[in-house]
Amino acid sequence: MNELNKKKKCMNLGSLWAICVCLCLLLATPLSIQAQTCPSDPAFDIPNPLDDPSCTTTAGDCTSKDLELCGAFLTIGDGPCSTCTTGETVTADLNLCIINNTGSTRTSFAIFGNLQITAPDGTVTNCPISRCSGTIPPNSQDNYNYGEVTYTCGDALALTDLILSWTDASPNSNCANHDCREIAPKCGAETSVAIAPPLQVSSIEATCVSGNQINVDVTAVGGTAPYTYNWSNGATTEDLSNVPTGTYSVTVTDSEGCTTTSTVTLDSCCEFFATCNLDATPQTVEGCTAADAPAAETDYNNVFTNVTPDPCGTLTMTHTDVTTGSLCPDGLTVTRTYTLFDDLNGNASLDAGEES
């Protein structure tokens, strides 16, 4: 009787576990990281008197509104239009709009603070900036060149934590006279002044809607708003909605007639997704070898649900059985794993770059 019980136990194949795999294997895109270089221009750079340890002047001491900043912007070259392409590095001129509210000429006007550079990924670099230019006529508002900066198109620039300093009307006063003893109270302060960039398309993105229909979203910055849009398919709206997959170019024109063009391509809206739908509860089956386990599923619809209707290749399902344990006395355990993947090259094998 005991021997018979042993034989029956040896015929118990044990537990069959079935699981499925739904992972994503994506090709990594190398990330290029470049160190940010703070700009300089010897023709406009001056020593910052506030860096002198003996100087106690702060922004709180600079409350005058005799001279004020009314804006800042970049220009490229000598032409009337300044444009650039996202990612392009250019040499641009920093221009300041300055208001002189007094009836006296100011022979120079200096800024002391930071040039804040914010990259598209959110990385912020603060570069000290101490520059001087002039002369500023009485009761005037005008734009003045404050030297060159190296600009990567797509970055956002701002002047922050500024102290504004100006000299008196004496012809002997110039940029060399901005020392700590002479600044206050002839000075002002600004927390932050955004620098308008050259006209550019800061982003253009195509996204799938359904099937082979896409939306295209474009964002323009810089130049002089408002903007008009002229798409390669004849549309004049800012964005495109529910258009066929393909390549689209847009020309953005600002109110001054300056233009910039950008292109985006999305050839296919194929995508991969699936949800595992197996019951992972162990099953006990009778047999003497792992070969006596139930036959594997061949139809992925019996294993996965919410399966993509638009794969990029051919949906292929494979399985593997891993046997552990010993037949006697406890029985074998067979773990079955199903893998569904998007077979791009048709070789029925999961290769690098194919999603599963």
Side-chain angles (χ1 to χ4, degrees):
M1 189 71 174
N2 290 337
E3 183 66 23
L4 179 61
N5 284 340
K6 287 184 180 178
K7 288 183 179 179
K8 284 187 176 181
K9 194 169 186 179
C10 286
M11 292 181 66
N12 181 355
L13 182 60
S15 300
L16 174 70
W17 291 71
I19 62 175
C20 52
V21 175
C22 190
L23 304 173
C24 285
L25 300 178
L26 300 178
L27 289 175
T29 301
L31 178 63
S32 175
I33 301 177
Q34 295 180 333
Q36 184 65 254
T37 301
C38 291
S40 63
D41 190 331
F44 294 86
D45 291 338
I46 63 171
N48 187 343
L50 304 174
D51 291 339
D52 186 338
S54 65
C55 182
T56 59
T57 299
T58 66
D61 300 317
C62 297
T63 58
S64 174
K65 298 295 184 181
D66 285 354
L67 276 76
E68 300 178 89
L69 284 182
C70 48
F73 60 96
L74 298 182
T75 56
I76 302 172
D78 297 326
C81 292
S82 295
T83 64
C84 63
T85 303
T86 300
E88 176 187 10
T89 299
V90 298
T91 298
D93 288 323
L94 172 63
N95 301 272
L96 301 183
C97 173
I98 302 173
I99 301 174
N100 185 350
N101 294 311
T102 74
S104 302
T105 297
R106 302 300 175 175
T107 52
S108 67
F109 182 91
I111 58 170
F112 306 113
N114 291 310
L115 174 64
Q116 185 179 86
I117 305 169
T118 305
D121 65 359
T123 302
V124 176
T125 302
N126 285 304
C127 292
I129 186 168
S130 304
R131 293 193 177 182
C132 183
S133 188
T135 302
I136 316 297
N139 300 312
S140 65
Q141 175 178 323
D142 208 346
N143 300 322
Y144 298 86
N145 186 352
Y146 270 72
E148 294 181 345
V149 297
T150 300
Y151 172 65
T152 300
C153 196
D155 288 351
L157 304 186
L159 295 169
T160 63
D161 302 322
L162 288 179
I163 285 184
L164 315 176
S165 173
W166 50 88
T167 49
D168 57 28
S170 170
N172 295 322
S173 297
N174 53 45
C175 288
N177 296 114
H178 291 268
D179 60 72
C180 187
R181 292 169 300 176
E182 298 294 333
I183 291 179
K186 302 190 298 292
C187 59
E190 291 283 356
T191 302
S192 180
V193 177
I195 302 174
L199 177 64
Q200 61 193 269
V201 172
S202 61
S203 69
I204 182 169
E205 181 179 4
T207 55
C208 292
V209 180
S210 61
N212 283 321
Q213 296 295 112
I214 63 175
N215 290 341
V216 184
D217 179 74
V218 65
T219 301
V221 297
T224 306
Y227 310 115
T228 59
Y229 304 85
N230 185 11
W231 290 89
S232 53
N233 67 345
T236 56
T237 54
E238 178 177 349
D239 302 316
L240 300 180
S241 299
N242 291 305
V243 294
T245 55
T247 298
Y248 294 89
S249 297
V250 61
T251 297
V252 180
T253 305
D254 73 359
S255 62
E256 300 295 323
C258 300
T259 62
T260 186
T261 299
S262 191
T263 300
V264 67
T265 298
L266 185 56
D267 288 326
S268 174
C269 278
C270 61
E271 56 184 341
F272 178 84
F273 55 83
T275 302
C276 180
N277 193 40
L278 281 180
D279 181 359
T281 303
Q283 304 173 42
T284 300
V285 297
E286 297 292 331
C288 290
T289 69
D292 293 321
E297 295 284 355
T298 58
D299 184 351
Y300 61 76
N301 290 303
N302 294 331
V303 180
F304 295 88
T305 59
N306 190 34
V307 178
T308 177
D310 299 304
C312 298
T314 302
L315 288 178
T316 302
M317 185 175 71
T318 59
H319 80 278
T320 57
D321 288 345
V322 176
T323 303
T324 56
S326 59
L327 187 61
C328 293
D330 298 318
L332 301 176
T333 296
V334 179
T335 301
R336 177 166 292 162
T337 301
Y338 291 94
T339 301
L340 181 67
F341 61 95
D342 198 349
D343 190 7
L344 301 180
N345 55 17
N347 66 353
S349 177
L350 179 59
D351 300 313
E354 294 179 336
E355 294 186 75
S356 67

